[in-house]
Amino acid sequence: MMDPHLLDQLAERLANALPAGVRELQQDAEKNFRAILQSGFAKLNLVTREEFDVQTALLARTRLQLEALERQIAALENHGQPHKPGV
């Protein structure tokens, strides 16, 4: 979900960009802009920065674990093979 404060700021900017004669409808315009923006962003399937950072950290930890397991497998494979002279 997007930051409601950010949606409020965007809606307010859009409402302030309206011509002076229409500004009497500013509150209604802000509500409508907020609803339109919220709906549009919801369709984009966005994640918050916090969620993104959590997933990035999880991926980094998983990558480290995978690399450690790959090294362990390589060591086990090398340990099980007979030593070849001259190699």
Side-chain angles (χ1 to χ4, degrees):
M1 183 85 188
M2 249 184 108
D3 180 11
H5 183 65
L6 179 60
L7 287 177
D8 291 342
Q9 287 178 337
L10 287 172
E12 184 179 349
R13 285 182 187 174
L14 288 169
N16 287 336
L18 294 173
V22 182
R23 286 210 180 141
E24 293 120 20
L25 306 172
Q26 185 174 359
Q27 285 184 330
D28 287 337
E30 279 186 45
K31 287 179 189 175
N32 289 332
F33 286 141
R34 190 176 300 110
I36 291 167
L37 290 168
Q38 206 165 23
S39 172
F41 286 133
K43 290 177 186 176
L44 293 177
N45 197 23
L46 301 173
V47 297
T48 64
R49 172 50 95 179
E50 182 179 334
E51 289 172 297
F52 179 81
D53 290 342
V54 166
Q55 291 302 316
T56 301
L58 179 62
L59 179 59
R61 281 195 313 268
T62 303
R63 186 173 290 141
L64 290 173
Q65 290 173 342
L66 176 62
E67 290 169 357
L69 289 171
E70 287 173 340
R71 286 191 299 272
Q72 286 179 342
I73 290 171
L76 290 171
E77 287 174 343
N78 289 336
H79 183 69
Q81 293 183 1
H83 178 66
K84 296 181 183 177
V87 177

